[in-house]
Amino acid sequence: MNKKLKKRIGILGGSFDPAHKGHIKISKEAKKRFNLKKVFWLVTKKNPFKKKSLYSLSRRITMAKKLSTKNKFIKVIFLENKCKSNRAFKNIKYLSRKYIYNDFYYIIGADNLINFHKWKNWKEIPKICKILVFDRENYKQRCLKSVAYKKIDRKRLKFIKFNKVNISSSQLRKI
């Protein structure tokens, strides 16, 4: 298929515990800068690096859908039952097979790049999609020193500078 005819799809994965305006802001920014047609919010049942979620899976999906309702390009999805895994690689691989004639952009916060090398099959993810890393307050220097940043080809990883939203799901859970 002609490269110009391919649609660009963003994937923002996470527990969305809870979803917040920062997720909306980076989704909009990625859409604008990379001409994305859709951004899938890929909700996971359980983050492998966290002990537990504050909200149930169904509540998190409902909250994410409600928050994103005005942004028709965002689609909240849960794939773990279909691809039998909560790992980013398996979910991205599933989407790349389902939407074969599309280019994928995996969207993460800078805090995730620091430990990206600990993710299952992390070296395979940039082979399937480009990785867009959105800067977060006080993370850039640690990102630039990370194992993943040093090993992933710059053509497959883009560090995005933008007006940061100083909010995170972790902060919201503490309120």
Side-chain angles (χ1 to χ4, degrees), residues 93-137:
K93 193 172 179 180
Y94 175 88
L95 286 171
S96 69
R97 287 183 177 154
K98 183 174 180 177
Y99 299 92
I100 195 163
Y101 297 114
N102 295 277
D103 288 328
F104 288 93
Y105 294 75
Y106 194 65
I107 303 164
I108 63 174
D111 55 322
N112 284 305
L113 185 63
I114 294 167
N115 292 310
F116 195 72
H117 66 283
K118 295 178 182 177
W119 293 22
K120 186 134 177 116
N121 301 99
W122 72 274
K123 289 180 181 177
E124 300 303 311
I125 295 172
K127 293 176 184 176
I128 301 172
C129 57
K130 291 184 180 171
I131 300 173
L132 307 179
V133 182
F134 279 79
D135 198 6
R136 287 186 71 173
E137 200 68 41

Side-chain angles (χ1 to χ4, degrees), residues 39-78:
V39 174
F40 291 137
W41 281 9
L42 189 56
V43 181
T44 185
K45 187 183 286 186
K46 184 185 178 309
N47 181 321
F49 298 104
K50 294 180 182 170
K51 291 184 180 178
K52 66 177 190 168
S53 296
L54 178 63
Y55 296 103
S56 70
L57 173 64
S58 61
R59 178 80 177 119
R60 289 183 281 127
I61 291 171
T62 300
M63 289 189 302
K65 285 180 178 179
K66 186 175 181 179
L67 180 67
S68 65
T69 195
K70 291 180 182 175
N71 299 281
K72 301 296 181 202
F73 70 96
I74 296 173
K75 183 174 181 176
V76 178
I77 59 175
F78 175 74

